[in-house]
Amino acid sequence: MKRISTFIMVLVCTYASAQNIDDVLRYSTEDIIGTARFQAMGGAFGALGGDLSSLNINPAGSAVFNFSEMSITGSNYHRNNDALFGNSVRNTTINSLDLNQIGGVLVFKSNNSSWKKIALAFNYDMVQNFDNEFYAAGNTALGIDNYFLNFADGEPLGPLRVQQGEYIEDAYLDIGSSLGFGAQQAFLGFQAGLIEPTEDDDANTSYFSNAAYSNVRQEYLRNTSGYNSKFTLNFAGQYEENLYLGASLNFHTVLYDRVTFLDEDGYDQDSPVQFTSFDNLLHTEGYGFSFSLGAIAKLNESVRVGGSYQSPTWYELTDDFSQRINSSLAVSDINFIDFGIVNLYDEYRIKTPGKLTGSVAVVFGEDGLLSFDYGYQDMSQAELRPTSDPNFSAENDFIASTLGVINTYRLGGEIRFDEVSLRGGYRFESSPYENGDIVGDLNGFSGGIGYSFGGSRLDLAFSRTEQDVNMFFFDSGINSAAMINRINTNISLGYTMKF
């Protein structure tokens, strides 16, 4: 009989599989991408405005425009990762090219009202680019058998067997939908021959490993791709001469793919298991909504101050998840469990924390400017929803006790020489964790140049950020991890046209 890929809705095991603190962190922060001018100045635009990507910081910024204009920006993203694992460092680099910003603003001036200008703007920004990859290889005393033993502990043996006349892939999906992710992982470990029951009894709930070793060699590759984009509809106005007020509605689109490959060998010569491979594929997609409010005030001809509130973002997301496994002791049909056999999960929600930003800028007439932004975001307020789900409730307690405040500092400047503008910026973002050993602080600097043609402008920007991240191989089960020194470099080219 011909086998076909089977899809079944998995209604349980959310905590153990995909929805956890990592998802909250992934969608709670935004990169400084945007227009080339915005990137070159480190995103320090909260009190400046006059740039379409500045709407991500302060929605009052569109009222600063004196003319209607459109802009478009493309970026090359370079990812450089040094992965330390088992006293071995491996380097991985990748490049990707994307159109990351396009938008426009319409400015309507009035001479007969206290409202001097009204601005309507729209803007698309790729606020996160998930394209990344790292490779780690080295020796460790913690083999993948521990992952399966962790999940198998307490699981009865009976459901881990393939029943008479049943396909192994159907058994895999059925145990996931009926008993949950943990039992499903125990099933994989048992069918792959990595773990064995202490008693050959369907009621048995204890297991031992078939792998004998003091150290094993592991090779681990993790590749991610996708984006988090934001489409902004903005309305702002200038009141009298010195006050700008604005509001934005933001519509987010998420696409995220993560594939991991693990190969393990180096077992003892007399070990029943001599090699293991274990691969996982996660696909996430969904949408979100947020809003923002802001104001900019001119204190005098030189000094401006700004303040803004960015609401939580409410995401609606769905996951699907696939796996494959093999070993020297696996059953003959194990290859029928592959990436074509998909676990579908119920839709879930994430509420990211809101953010407050305070800004100050000094404008030196036509010669240049200096700007500073401070952002405050309390990550302990993030939530997986519905909160009534006991798995989400436990994870939310973990989030509240583990995550802390992200303090963001951005500094940017610009010097103008006739048609040429030279720009620079610095960015610091504190770790979202109370314990900075898991994810370190982020440091970045940027620079750029712009040339004005009168009615249009061409901008070039370079930005670089560096951060250390302790990257766990699996979301749960075992705590194998590589320390990644992550360096992201963007080169962006943008064109702006007034009309």
Side-chain angles (χ1 to χ4, degrees):
M1 181 180 295
K2 182 181 178 181
R3 296 178 189 243
I4 59 173
S5 296
T6 307
F7 298 84
I8 190 164
M9 186 65 70
V10 179
L11 303 176
V12 290
C13 68
T14 53
Y15 167 73
S17 55
Q19 301 91 36
N20 54 37
I21 191 171
D22 293 336
D23 299 85
V24 167
L25 289 172
R26 184 181 308 121
Y27 306 122
S28 292
T29 58
E30 297 182 358
D31 295 332
I32 302 298
I33 303 179
T35 67
R37 184 173 182 239
F38 183 79
Q39 293 184 63
M41 293 174 57
F45 271 83
L48 289 175
D51 184 280
L52 282 164
S53 291
S54 74
L55 306 184
N56 292 327
I57 309 298
N58 190 333
S62 62
V64 178
F65 284 98
N66 288 317
F67 303 96
S68 299
E69 68 177 53
M70 293 189 67
S71 69
I72 185 170
T73 308
S75 294
N76 179 76
Y77 304 91
H78 178 76
R79 308 299 191 222
N80 184 91
N81 295 308
D82 286 327
L84 171 63
F85 176 66
N87 296 319
S88 176
V89 177
R90 300 300 179 99
N91 176 262
T92 308
T93 61
I94 66 167
N95 286 279
S96 61
L97 185 66
D98 277 301
L99 178 68
N100 64 277
Q101 182 276 326
I102 184 169
V105 58
L106 299 174
V107 178
F108 305 93
K109 298 181 179 180
S110 173
N111 296 320
N112 302 314
S113 170
S114 296
W115 291 97
K116 302 299 182 182
K117 280 185 294 184
I118 297 295
L120 300 176
F122 70 92
N123 190 54
Y124 165 88
D125 262 329
M126 183 187 293
V127 295
Q128 290 172 294
N129 181 336
F130 295 131
D131 294 352
N132 212 337
E133 182 175 287
F134 78 86
Y135 169 75
N139 293 324
T140 176
L142 191 65
I144 191 60
D145 57 318
N146 290 280
Y147 172 87
F148 297 105
L149 284 172
N150 177 78
F151 285 114
D153 184 35
E155 294 288 346
L157 174 62
L160 306 188
R161 302 182 192 269
V162 177
Q163 304 304 310
Q164 184 70 29
E166 185 180 31
Y167 288 139
I168 190 172
E169 61 269 34
D170 291 332
Y172 164 79
L173 288 171
D174 181 64
I175 196 171
S177 63
S178 59
L179 297 180
F181 182 81
Q184 191 179 53
Q185 301 312 288
F187 174 86
L188 285 178
F190 175 62
Q191 295 296 325
L194 294 177
I195 60 174
E196 290 288 345
T198 55
E199 297 181 22
D200 189 17
D201 186 328
D202 284 353
N204 174 82
T205 58
S206 62
Y207 301 83
F208 65 91
S209 173
N210 272 327
Y213 58 88
S214 56
N215 282 278
V216 291
R217 174 177 168 78
Q218 291 183 342
E219 294 186 54
Y220 180 86
L221 176 68
R222 170 173 167 157
N223 179 280
T224 60
S225 60
Y227 57 85
N228 183 357
S229 68
K230 180 163 68 175
F231 180 77
T232 297
L233 294 176
N234 170 266
F235 175 83
Q238 178 185 347
Y239 184 76
E240 298 295 351
E241 298 298 329
N242 300 317
L243 182 63
Y244 305 87
L245 302 172
S248 293
L249 301 178
N250 307 303
F251 303 90
H252 303 251
T253 302
V254 169
L255 179 64
Y256 176 75
D257 288 298
R258 183 185 72 206
V259 59
T260 64
F261 305 93
L262 176 74
D263 291 324
E264 182 178 278
D265 56 22
Y267 304 98
D268 292 346
Q269 189 172 6
D270 59 352
S271 172
V273 178
Q274 286 298 310
F275 78 88
T276 304
S277 63
F278 183 43
D279 307 328
N280 293 267
L281 173 62
L282 171 68
H283 172 80
T284 302
E285 59 183 67
Y287 57 90
F289 170 77
S290 65
F291 67 88
S292 54
L293 305 170
I296 297 173
K298 283 185 179 181
L299 301 186
N300 53 47
E301 286 301 313
S302 298
V303 180
R304 301 178 184 180
V305 296
S308 64
Y309 168 72
Q310 298 173 59
S311 78
T313 302
W314 294 273
Y315 287 103
E316 302 273 350
L317 302 168
T318 55
D319 290 348
D320 60 68
F321 186 61
S322 305
Q323 300 179 287
R324 62 190 183 198
I325 191 170
N326 207 347
S327 83
S328 49
L329 283 183
V331 298
S332 58
D333 284 349
I334 198 70
N335 289 328
F336 286 106
I337 300 175
D338 58 22
F339 285 168
I341 307 301
V342 181
N343 299 284
L344 301 177
Y345 292 86
D346 270 347
E347 186 176 72
Y348 63 100
R349 289 168 282 148
I350 291 178
K351 188 197 82 170
T352 70
K355 186 174 184 179
L356 294 170
T357 302
S359 312
V360 61
V362 180
V363 179
F364 305 104
E366 297 296 323
D367 297 324
L369 55 87
L370 190 64
S371 180
F372 172 78
D373 288 356
Y374 166 72
Y376 176 94
Q377 186 179 31
D378 187 357
M379 289 300 303
S380 67
Q381 301 300 309
E383 288 182 341
L384 288 159
R385 295 183 171 184
T387 56
S388 58
D389 186 305
N391 292 314
F392 285 162
S393 178
E395 187 70 358
N396 287 334
D397 289 342
F398 178 67
I399 289 169
S401 63
T402 304
L403 300 183
V405 171
I406 296 178
N407 295 291
T408 303
Y409 305 89
R410 295 186 295 268
L411 180 66
E414 181 178 61
I415 301 175
R416 303 188 186 107
F417 303 95
D418 298 323
E419 291 84 10
V420 178
S421 298
L422 300 179
R423 304 168 183 132
Y426 173 75
R427 173 189 175 199
F428 173 85
E429 188 174 287
S430 64
S431 170
Y433 282 87
E434 293 283 3
N435 177 2
D437 293 336
I438 301 174
V439 174
D441 299 332
L442 181 145
N443 282 275
F445 63 86
S446 55
I449 186 171
Y451 188 88
S452 174
F453 300 93
S456 61
R457 190 180 72 243
L458 193 64
D459 298 304
L460 180 68
F462 168 89
S463 63
R464 179 187 187 274
T465 62
E466 183 171 0
Q467 188 176 36
D468 291 331
V469 179
N470 201 25
M471 191 70 70
F472 291 92
F473 292 176
F474 299 96
D475 293 334
S476 55
I478 56 175
N479 61 353
S480 296
M483 178 58 71
I484 312 296
N485 176 248
R486 179 185 294 171
I487 298 176
N488 295 337
T489 305
N490 298 344
I491 298 177
S492 301
L493 182 65
Y495 179 72
T496 300
M497 180 179 64
K498 297 178 182 179
F499 59 91

